[in-house]
Amino acid sequence: MLTFFNEQHTKEFGLQHRVSAVQAELERRGLGQIVTPQSVPLTALERTHSPRYLAFLRNAWSEAPAAARAGSVVTPNQLAVRTMRNDIEPDDFFARLGLYSMDTFTGISASTWSAAKGGADCAVNAAHALRVGERASFVLTQPQGHHAGADFCGGYCYLNNAALAAQHLLDDGLGKVAILDLDYQHGNGAQGIFYERADVLCLSIHADPRQTFPYYCGHADETGAAAGQGYNVNLPLAPGADAQAWFAALETACLRLSIYRPDALVVALGGNIFQGEQHGGFGLAPADFLRLGERLAWLGVPTTFQLEGGTPLRQLGTNIVNVLEGFDCAAA
């Protein structure tokens, strides 16, 4: 297992503790090599995110009013909702931030761009590693990415690492790619980016959005549109569902993957499906994460894993690395 480590990972919102927990466990077990990625050009990011959004994100901290930058994070004070225009950027900085946001708590700091770009570098490098012979790769980064859309941030996500990895695999010559989102919350970002496309199958197992963030998407009847009809699969579960229900949903996803037969698989892996998770969680015990890794290996598809959410509990590193070790052992 080749791990790409984002040295620029952010310290906002306590996210650095996720990276530290997983890094420590990887090093303790000696599970493969940990490397830093090569920087990728902005044009690679523009394959997934709009140039206008990327330009805003790169310059947001320097453009924020000096008084706002006196704090550690700036957040929007309003959002562009239905019937409002989104084609013209407001002059007011906070209104511009609201134009590119899906919530009011995902802020911008001095390190946001460098941390998000470092994660994107990891994602693209990890995807490329599959194309040059690696059976699997892992992206060890924060902030996470799966809530970020083509032109907005949210859920503490700024660039969609899973989507960037999938797009790079396609650009690198593959015909079909799949994204399997296993975070407790719905992977709305990838769904929106690929919703009308048939070259990326998006599957997400998550808590019912009627009770759980991001609330406004992730229902089972969202199956894609236009050319992408049938290529989006949502498998919502009751919050706190047990391991049996979760693995039943995983089997449904694996069956759909077997039918689709992707050339590569991108897994958005959240540690917040653990039964002890403070902000949700399903009934998965540490041993279940080994089982998860083994099941994904049996698909026989080159796979890149992206670290997503999870409270930095003591078990977070154990659970995430259990997935990787289970995959490695079963694939050997």
Side-chain angles (χ1 to χ4, degrees), residues 9 13 25 42 48 79-80 102 117-118 145 147 158 161 225 234 242 270 287 298 315 318 320:
H9 62 272
F13 318 118
E25 187 65 16
L42 289 176
T48 300
L79 303 177
M102 65 174 277
K117 176 59 165 58
H147 293 307
Y158 303 90
N161 298 324
N234 286 325
D242 62 18
W298 294 339
Q315 297 93 337
T318 299
I320 293 297

Side-chain angles (χ1 to χ4, degrees), residues 157-173:
C157 302
Y158 303 90
L159 297 174
N160 195 304
N161 298 324
L164 285 163
Q167 186 61 56
H168 179 78
L169 289 164
L170 294 172
D171 293 342
D172 212 20

Side-chain angles (χ1 to χ4, degrees), residues 57-280:
L57 198 59
R58 287 199 313 275
N59 301 312
W61 181 253
S62 62
E63 293 179 354
R69 284 188 276 118
S72 59
V73 178
V74 294
T75 54
N77 54 19
Q78 69 179 70
L79 303 177
V81 298
R82 290 175 296 278
T83 75
M84 291 185 175
R85 295 183 63 171
N86 60 14
D87 58 321
I88 299 176
E89 285 188 327
D91 292 332
D92 180 82
F93 169 79
F94 292 100
R96 284 204 308 282
L97 180 54
L99 181 66
Y100 297 113
S101 300
M102 65 174 277
D103 58 47
T104 58
F105 56 81
T106 301
I108 300 291
S109 76
S111 63
T112 294
W113 171 251
S114 61
K117 176 59 165 58
D121 292 340
C122 288
V124 173
N125 278 254
H128 187 70
L130 303 185
R131 299 292 289 135
V132 296
E134 292 290 334
R135 176 70 175 81
S137 60
F138 174 52
V139 171
L140 180 53
T141 185
Q142 289 295 292
Q144 61 201 54
H146 75 143
H147 293 307
D151 59 358
F152 62 83
C153 59
Y156 306 125
C157 302
Y158 303 90
L159 297 174
N160 195 304
N161 298 324
L164 285 163
Q167 186 61 56
H168 179 78
L169 289 164
L170 294 172
D171 293 342
D172 212 20
L174 297 189
K176 296 191 298 184
V177 176
I179 296 175
L180 176 60
D181 193 300
L182 301 179
D183 191 271
Y184 184 75
Q185 297 168 341
H186 175 244
N188 63 285
Q191 171 172 306
I193 289 167
F194 298 113
Y195 202 66
E196 297 186 356
R197 293 170 51 174
D199 52 356
V200 177
L201 172 66
C202 292
L203 308 103
S204 181
I205 303 172
H206 52 270
D208 191 326
R210 289 175 297 182
Q211 289 91 38
T212 307
F213 186 88
Y215 298 110
Y216 307 113
C217 59
H219 299 281
D221 63 351
E222 298 159 18
T223 57
Q229 179 62 50
Y231 291 92
N232 193 82
V233 179
N234 286 325
L235 299 167
L237 298 173
D242 62 18
Q244 181 178 359
W246 192 89
F247 275 100
L250 180 65
E251 281 305 308
T252 299
C254 288
L255 176 60
R256 186 67 179 85
L257 285 166
S258 297
I259 295 171
Y260 183 64
R261 300 180 64 183
D263 300 308
L265 175 64
V266 180
V267 178
L269 182 60
N272 50 11
I273 56 177
F274 177 55
Q275 64 181 357
E277 170 66 28
Q278 295 176 6
H279 303 293

